[in-house]
Amino acid sequence: MYDSKVRSEETDELYEAIMSLESREEFYRFFDDLCTFGEIKAMAQRFRVAKLLSEGKTFAQISEEIGASSATITRVNRCITYGSDGYKIALERMKK
């Protein structure tokens, strides 16, 4: 089992709730209730940065294309390189 720094009963319940959702509409409804608009936009931007990095785009290209800051791009790149492979797993599954 993966040893997450955020693992707790509360996060387990949150992840169980997310996994129970069955459609994009349900995901929108759940995250609209759970997160602020800014939090959702920040997560979406980080995932988009991960996708663009995985496609071989440079920091400058990503910044120009989606307006992400160098700090955001660096953080996502660090996660891809040294993180828990969460981005890699999701991006690979989305290709299928």
Side-chain angles (χ1 to χ4, degrees):
M1 181 183 340
Y2 173 71
D3 183 30
S4 172
K5 296 176 210 95
V6 298
R7 185 177 298 277
S8 69
E9 184 177 338
E10 290 83 9
T11 54
D12 284 351
E13 288 176 353
L14 172 62
Y15 296 156
E16 286 293 325
I18 292 168
M19 290 188 306
S20 76
L21 301 173
E22 296 179 356
S23 68
R24 183 172 296 178
E25 178 70 22
E26 288 182 359
F27 276 90
Y28 271 102
R29 289 171 179 258
F30 182 79
F31 280 94
D32 279 348
D33 286 346
L34 181 66
C35 302
T36 66
F37 177 75
E39 290 167 335
I40 293 169
K41 295 300 281 184
M43 287 187 289
Q45 184 183 62
R46 287 192 296 266
F47 190 73
R48 181 78 173 142
V49 167
K51 183 173 187 271
L52 294 172
L53 286 170
S54 75
E55 294 171 356
K57 300 274 181 143
T58 66
F59 281 37
Q61 289 170 321
I62 294 168
S63 180
E64 183 176 318
E65 184 173 329
I66 64 170
S69 69
S70 61
T72 295
I73 299 168
T74 299
R75 180 188 185 282
V76 171
N77 190 58
R78 189 177 320 113
C79 288
I80 290 171
T81 305
Y82 304 109
S84 305
D85 292 334
Y87 285 125
K88 290 178 187 177
I89 292 167
L91 290 167
E92 286 177 11
R93 289 190 182 155
M94 287 178 67
K95 289 179 186 177
K96 296 178 183 179

